[in-house]
Amino acid sequence: AFICLCTAVLPMSVSAEENEATGKVYYVSSSEGDDSNDGLSQKTPFQTLARVSELELTAGDQLLFKCDDIWYGTVTLELSKGTKDNPILISSYGKGERPSLRYYTGHVTEACAENVMVLWNCNGVEINNLDVGWSNAGIRMEYNTVGNKYVRIENCHFHDIYGTTQKTNLAALSFSSAIYTRMTEEINASDFEKDGYPLTDFYINRCTSYDGGA
């Protein structure tokens, strides 16, 4: 008798420094950066999330935050131009603790509506090795298009995420969550039958959450 054991193996995360970049590599450091830099080397990193939000990332581009650094605020990106074979990567560089992205400095207001990462139309995107917290939501993925494929979030830690859990009957606030996806009113059920779902091929692997609100 023969026994066949079939297993599905998820690929392990590989640090950006071990990957051969197929696009531009942008570096960001709150401690060593300057927004007047070009951001294209570890010696000339950007500094703020506001500057990062101005980037137009495309397939193969990498956005790398420096380990041990901390940022406060929201980064907003449109990420529709990646592919599964040549994804947009958001990760870290250097040695030390994961880069920490936060909205608040430590005290979260009673009704918190702010997000750390607002990512539009993620398509062919990988996010790994980040620390995300002190906000209403960690990674908020918004979709106003259908047919997007492949998002992988790995080895991230989410913490101190609050929102509607701190005050009742606030319908205007989105649920406090480490990661959530939302469709805008531009997408309706008939679009699914015609063009497919907003996102397929979505993975969350080896992530942790502590005090993650809802």
Side-chain angles (χ1 to χ4, degrees):
F2 295 93
I3 298 176
C4 179
L5 179 61
C6 298
T7 60
V9 180
L10 292 176
M12 296 292 289
S13 291
V14 179
S15 68
E17 294 170 344
E18 296 172 342
N19 282 330
E20 182 179 353
T22 55
K24 292 182 178 179
V25 182
Y26 295 99
Y27 297 88
V28 193
S29 171
S30 61
S31 61
E32 300 175 353
D34 189 315
D35 284 351
S36 64
N37 290 337
D38 61 14
L40 295 175
S41 76
Q42 295 185 27
K43 295 182 178 180
T44 59
F46 296 134
Q47 182 179 45
T48 69
L49 298 182
R51 179 65 183 90
V52 171
S53 295
E54 297 174 359
L55 295 175
E56 296 182 5
L57 300 176
T58 190
D61 285 352
Q62 300 181 22
L63 175 60
L64 308 181
F65 294 90
K66 187 176 183 294
C67 288
D68 281 338
D69 278 4
I70 300 175
W71 291 262
Y72 296 99
T74 301
V75 58
T76 302
L77 293 166
E78 211 282 341
L79 299 177
S80 63
K81 297 180 180 179
T83 68
K84 185 172 184 177
D85 293 332
N86 197 20
I88 296 168
L89 173 66
I90 301 176
S91 187
S92 63
Y93 72 97
K95 297 180 179 180
E97 297 295 324
R98 293 185 183 101
S100 184
L101 281 68
R102 311 172 182 182
Y103 189 86
Y104 291 97
T105 59
H107 172 70
V108 180
T109 60
E110 184 181 45
C112 169
E114 306 300 339
N115 308 278
V116 176
M117 304 181 76
V118 180
L119 308 178
W120 281 90
N121 298 318
C122 287
N123 182 75
V125 175
E126 294 183 352
I127 301 170
N128 64 56
N129 205 46
L130 300 180
D131 176 272
V132 181
W134 296 114
S135 63
N136 171 60
I139 298 176
R140 169 179 154 191
M141 298 164 55
E142 294 273 8
Y143 285 92
N144 59 15
T145 64
V146 296
N148 301 284
K149 297 178 181 179
Y150 186 66
V151 173
R152 180 180 291 273
I153 302 174
E154 291 187 295
N155 196 35
C156 292
H157 179 56
F158 300 89
H159 59 93
D160 301 290
I161 294 171
Y162 306 100
T164 54
T165 56
Q166 293 199 8
K167 194 170 183 179
T168 59
N169 301 320
L170 288 177
L173 288 183
S174 301
F175 263 100
S176 52
S177 303
I179 304 167
Y180 80 89
T181 64
R182 187 172 69 171
M183 299 174 296
T184 67
E185 294 180 359
E186 297 176 32
I187 299 179
N188 56 55
S190 63
D191 291 327
F192 298 162
E193 297 178 5
K194 181 176 64 176
D195 299 317
Y197 291 96
L199 174 65
T200 57
D201 213 1
F202 181 26
Y203 304 90
I204 301 173
N205 189 33
R206 298 197 311 277
C207 292
T208 55
S209 177
Y210 174 78
D211 207 2

